[in-house]
């Protein structure tokens, strides 16, 4: 079971004269089913330190195989999305086609088109290879902040520190995501297996503003104009086809590639074979893999959680997360 986003707002497709209205209704039904809105991220409020210990710390202390991610603020606009897909237009073709694919080859081409990145990568790892893409993508996540991966960690302390960022006062609540692999068969420590996943990487990015197109068409009818229906119909048909063929996957990669990642106990979450529509995932078929919960921690308890880290794991306070030397030399 995988759950994304507190609320999945659906595409708002306005009412429209027949027969387009029938097509609109059919697509909405398919997208609603694909988004699986009854399986939105389980958002859980944490108001007290007692709530925190019960919901988050005790399972961690018992060694349950849970993965964590910290976010410094709770906001609907901050979605659980890979950095690469926040900048998906970087991979868009030069034409204005409404749908395009990001795949293994386009990933390789993109990174190889950056001379400085490529020069440093080849110095460290040698020539980039399509059949061994994981080292390059992990390197890009760490140093370019642009990859198909989402950072998680095995350590609750690390996630908390990244969420609180060493602040002394808090104006907003913070967030900790947890991920649990139900069957333990979607997590791997095998580079060969990850490279096979990446060779088949495919994300359909949909940049059809259906709502706006239909609104303009509706206004045209009101004004007595006869709009051209074919472009709208083609875009709606494209959305319908996407809704029919979506088979998203979620995989968790436990292969650290440098000392800092090992120190932070970092892992990557990879989402594959899905479509991105209006910055939203269509995730129904992924829910067989992971349970992902979103814990919103009250800003009122954050100062106490800072002290908690200093007491339990001072090496993971924020100023040490990116500076192993500082943690090593701190023998208080």
């Amino acid at each position: 079971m995988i759950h994304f986003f507190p609320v999945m707002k659906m595409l708002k497709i306005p009412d429209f004269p027949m027969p387009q209205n029938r097509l609109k209704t059919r697509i909405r039904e398919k997208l609603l089913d694909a988004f699986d809105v009854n399986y939105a991220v389980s958002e859980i409020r944490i108001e007290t330190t007692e709530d925190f210990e019960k919901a988050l710390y005790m399972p961690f202390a018992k060694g349950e195989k849970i993965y964590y991610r910290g976010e410094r603020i709770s906001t609907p606009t901050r979605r659980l999305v890979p950095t690469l897909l926040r900048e998906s237009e970087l991979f868009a073709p030069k034409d204005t086609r409404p749908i395009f694919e990001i795949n293994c080859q386009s990933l390789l081409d993109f990174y190889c088109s950056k001379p400085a990145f490529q020069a440093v990568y080849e110095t460290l790892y040698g020539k980039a290879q399509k059949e061994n893409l994981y080292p390059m993508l992990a390197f890009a996540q760490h140093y370019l902040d642009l990859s198909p991966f989402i950072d998680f960690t095995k350590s609750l302390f690390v996630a908390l520190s990244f969420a609180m960022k060493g602040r002394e006062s808090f104006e907003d609540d913070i967030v900790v995501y947890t991920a649990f692999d139900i069957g333990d068969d979607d997590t791997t420590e095998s580079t060969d297996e990850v490279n096979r996943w990446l060779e088949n990487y495919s994300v359909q990015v949909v940049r059809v503003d259906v709502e706006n197109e239909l609104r303009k068409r509706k206004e045209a009818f009101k004004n007595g104009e006869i709009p051209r229906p074919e472009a709208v119909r083609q875009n709606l048909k494209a959305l319908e086809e996407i809704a029919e063929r979506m088979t998203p996957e979620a995989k968790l990669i436990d292969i650290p590639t440098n000392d800092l990642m090992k120190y932070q106990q970092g892992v990557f979450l990879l989402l594959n074979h899905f479509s991105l529509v209006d910055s939203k995932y269509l995730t129904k078929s992924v829910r067989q893999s992971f349970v992902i919960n979103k814990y919103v921690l009250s800003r009122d308890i954050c100062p106490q959680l800072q002290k908690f880290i200093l007491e339990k794991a001072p090496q993971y306070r924020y100023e040490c997360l990116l500076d192993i030397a500082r943690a090593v030399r701190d023998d208080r």
Side-chain angles (χ1 to χ4, degrees):
M1 186 183 297
I2 190 165
H3 309 248
F4 285 108
F5 316 136
V7 178
M8 283 196 171
K9 296 182 179 179
M10 300 311 302
L11 295 174
K12 298 178 181 177
I13 304 177
D15 290 333
F16 194 73
M18 296 293 185
Q20 294 281 8
N21 198 47
R22 287 196 295 268
L23 182 59
K24 175 204 69 175
T25 301
R26 189 164 70 244
I27 293 172
R28 176 186 281 125
E29 290 173 352
K30 290 181 179 180
L31 289 176
L32 282 169
D33 181 65
F35 269 106
D36 207 8
V37 293
N38 292 325
Y39 292 91
V41 160
S42 176
E43 183 170 309
I44 303 165
R45 292 282 311 179
I46 301 292
E47 301 288 354
T48 67
T49 54
E50 289 77 14
D51 291 341
F52 167 79
E53 288 197 16
K54 181 178 180 181
L56 286 167
Y57 181 65
M58 290 309 297
F60 171 71
K62 291 177 181 177
E64 294 186 19
K65 198 171 184 180
I66 300 173
Y67 305 93
Y68 305 89
R69 175 179 173 83
E71 296 274 5
R72 67 176 184 84
I73 189 172
S74 177
T75 170
T77 61
R78 183 73 176 178
R79 292 173 175 147
L80 195 60
V81 61
T83 53
L84 179 147
L85 294 179
R86 293 175 189 163
E87 306 288 341
S88 61
E89 284 298 316
L90 293 174
F91 295 83
K94 293 181 180 180
D95 56 47
T96 58
R97 70 185 68 171
I99 301 170
F100 64 91
E101 181 187 26
I102 302 175
N103 56 32
C104 179
Q105 186 63 53
S106 57
L107 288 175
L108 182 63
D109 292 344
F110 174 77
Y111 293 117
C112 289
S113 71
K114 296 186 169 298
F117 174 87
Q118 191 63 23
V120 176
Y121 178 80
E122 289 189 1
T123 299
L124 294 173
Y125 297 100
K127 189 172 178 60
Q129 297 178 312
K130 186 176 180 180
E131 57 276 4
N132 186 28
L133 201 57
Y134 176 66
M136 172 173 274
L137 297 187
F139 184 71
Q141 176 71 354
H142 293 144
Y143 301 110
L144 196 61
D145 194 28
L146 192 67
S147 90
F149 300 140
I150 302 175
D151 286 315
F152 273 77
T153 172
K154 299 176 186 178
S155 172
L156 175 61
F157 297 120
V158 171
L160 275 177
S161 284
F162 272 120
M164 294 190 290
K165 296 191 180 301
R167 289 171 287 177
E168 295 182 357
S169 60
F170 297 83
E171 297 181 0
D172 302 289
D173 300 334
I174 64 171
V175 170
V176 171
Y177 287 100
T178 62
F180 173 67
D181 184 353
I182 297 175
D184 201 32
D185 58 353
D186 291 296
T187 301
T188 189
E189 298 177 4
S190 167
T191 302
D192 289 341
E193 186 172 20
V194 173
N195 282 325
R196 286 195 295 272
W197 294 342
L198 293 172
E199 280 190 71
N200 295 307
Y201 185 76
S202 176
V203 174
Q204 299 287 327
V205 179
V206 182
R207 50 181 179 180
V208 178
D209 191 346
V210 176
E211 180 181 357
N212 186 51
E213 288 190 37
L214 288 176
R215 184 182 293 111
K216 288 191 296 185
R217 182 165 164 78
K218 187 176 180 180
E219 288 298 319
F221 269 101
K222 285 182 179 179
N223 296 331
E225 302 172 8
I226 302 177
R228 296 168 57 189
E230 191 56 31
V232 175
R233 177 175 289 278
Q234 286 179 355
N235 287 336
L236 289 173
K237 277 291 188 182
L239 277 178
E240 183 181 29
E241 291 172 3
I242 286 172
E244 288 176 339
R245 66 172 181 257
M246 291 177 298
T247 56
E249 300 173 349
K251 303 291 185 181
L252 201 138
I253 302 166
D254 187 3
I255 307 174
T257 54
N258 58 40
D259 287 347
L260 193 59
M261 190 176 179
K262 292 177 183 177
Y263 173 57
Q264 295 173 359
Q265 301 182 55
V267 296
F268 294 134
L269 182 68
L270 171 69
L271 300 172
N272 198 1
H273 299 302
F274 68 96
S275 298
L276 190 71
V277 180
D278 190 27
S279 299
K280 299 178 181 69
Y281 295 106
L282 311 180
T283 59
K284 179 180 178 181
S285 63
V286 185
R287 70 177 192 265
Q288 303 300 322
S289 303
F290 290 90
V291 174
I292 293 185
N293 289 325
K294 178 183 179 182
Y295 292 88
V296 179
L297 282 62
S298 169
R299 63 183 184 179
D300 296 333
I301 66 170
C302 287
Q304 295 166 275
L305 296 178
Q306 291 279 34
K307 294 178 181 178
F308 180 75
I309 292 174
L310 287 175
E311 175 188 341
K312 296 286 187 180
Q315 75 275 19
Y316 281 138
R317 65 189 189 278
Y318 184 68
E319 56 265 35
C320 293
L321 284 182
L322 299 176
D323 187 354
I324 299 177
R326 182 164 186 169
V328 168
R329 295 167 183 162
D330 186 7
D331 287 323
R332 294 178 304 157

